[in-house]
Amino acid sequence: VLDAFSSTVDPTLDEDLHLYYRHNLLVPEAWAARGRDELMDVLAHRYGVGSIVSDPVTYLGHDLIRTHTTGQHCPRAEQLAARLLCPCLHPQMTEDEEAQVRDAIRRAVADIAQLQPATAKENG
């Protein structure tokens, strides 16, 4: 199931410096929204790893914008946002702390996959 995760590292301009401040993870399509939320819950409550939905679709979550965009839809943005989560990371984390977060994500994904066996088969 972990292979079904989409994860790429952003490019750098200098070998010693990175440009990104967060790492985005996309859960498998079959996990969109509900499975993603379950994963976030398991990460937080079982493994102590926080995560956020960093880029929700603006017109879905902001009343003023929603009123000014009535009838307009961005289905691809909605689909991607339903799959997106960002583990809480920061530049002061040690390599050991980063490894703990990485391992917690792997374990939490396995936990969720056991709850959704059809998803595991589809994306495995």
Side-chain angles (χ1 to χ4, degrees), residues 22-34:
R22 67 176 180 230
H23 193 78
N24 297 311
L25 300 175
L26 290 174
V27 299
E29 287 183 30
W31 290 19
R34 184 171 180 219

Side-chain angles (χ1 to χ4, degrees), residues 8-66:
T8 60
V9 177
D10 296 328
T12 60
L13 295 176
D14 183 313
E15 291 297 321
D16 298 325
L17 301 173
H18 61 77
L19 299 172
Y20 48 93
Y21 64 96
R22 67 176 180 230
H23 193 78
N24 297 311
L25 300 175
L26 290 174
V27 299
E29 287 183 30
W31 290 19
R34 184 171 180 219
R36 186 266 324 268
D37 293 347
E38 288 178 29
L39 177 59
M40 292 174 71
D41 188 57
V42 167
L43 279 170
H45 294 101
R46 194 171 300 164
Y47 298 104
V49 173
S51 59
I52 61 171
V53 177
S54 182
D55 294 314
V57 178
T58 306
Y59 67 85
L60 293 177
H62 193 283
D63 291 337
L64 179 63
I65 294 172
R66 184 176 25 249

Side-chain angles (χ1 to χ4, degrees), residues 59-60 65-75 78:
Y59 67 85
L60 293 177
I65 294 172
R66 184 176 25 249
T67 61
H68 290 284
T69 59
T70 301
Q72 298 177 32
H73 300 282
C74 298
E78 291 173 22

